[in-house]
Amino acid sequence: MPAWTRWRRTMTQQQNDTNERFERGWQALAAIDGEAGTRVIDQLADIAPDFARYIVEFPFGDIYTRSGLDLRQREIATIAALAALGNATSQLKVHIEAGLNVGLSRDEIVEVLIQMAVYAGFPAALNGLFAAKEVFAARALQQAA
């Protein structure tokens, strides 16, 4: 078989794999992050469409769809990590919303953020709690409408 035929077959398979990753990732993103996640992807479309695709394919198409942890556990880990970073408030808010979407209670999210005081410090915990307060208030307004 000529080299170009093998290459073409490999590239076609890679494109199929990429399309499957994207589709799997898009479904996971919509289920987990809902409107907040699709807004992030939409906001990237005109400046970095490849990066938007990477977000859909890798974290959501590959990682969030793995077995081993359920979505609630994954969001607990994500909320904790983002709060501990201390400089990812926008992403933290998206994932607090996602936590609520996958069944975490407000109390569970607050406890995760309080736990961050021990390992990431009081400023990180405070910033996380204030981000959660904003998300909870916005969600309450949305549900009241």
Side-chain angles (χ1 to χ4, degrees):
M1 173 183 321
W4 68 269
T5 303
R6 284 193 309 271
W7 177 83
R8 184 172 170 212
R9 183 174 291 155
T10 300
M11 292 307 294
T12 301
Q13 182 59 48
Q14 287 175 350
Q15 289 170 340
N16 288 340
D17 291 347
T18 297
N19 290 340
E20 289 174 21
R21 286 174 71 213
F22 184 86
E23 191 56 40
R24 187 174 58 241
W26 189 257
Q27 290 173 8
L29 175 77
I32 298 163
D33 286 346
E35 288 181 30
T38 56
R39 270 194 310 273
V40 170
I41 300 305
D42 287 344
Q43 291 171 351
L44 287 169
D46 63 344
I47 187 168
D50 288 342
F51 193 73
R53 189 183 80 246
Y54 300 152
I55 290 172
V56 173
E57 290 174 352
F58 179 61
F60 291 95
D62 292 341
I63 304 301
Y64 269 90
T65 57
R66 290 175 52 87
S67 60
L69 295 175
D70 64 28
L71 292 178
R72 292 178 85 258
Q73 293 166 324
R74 289 187 189 282
E75 284 305 324
I76 288 170
T78 303
I79 290 167
L82 290 170
L85 284 172
N87 62 356
T89 303
S90 295
Q91 294 81 11
L92 178 58
K93 288 178 183 180
V94 168
H95 284 281
I96 289 169
E97 186 77 36
L100 294 167
N101 290 344
V102 300
L104 292 176
S105 70
R106 290 171 54 142
D107 289 343
E108 288 172 315
I109 291 168
V110 167
E111 287 300 321
V112 167
L113 295 168
I114 290 171
Q115 182 74 19
M116 292 305 96
V118 177
Y119 295 99
F122 275 80
L126 282 168
N127 290 340
L129 288 164
F130 290 138
K133 184 177 181 176
E134 288 181 35
V135 170
F136 297 160
R139 193 166 175 119
L141 283 175
Q142 187 180 35
Q143 290 173 344

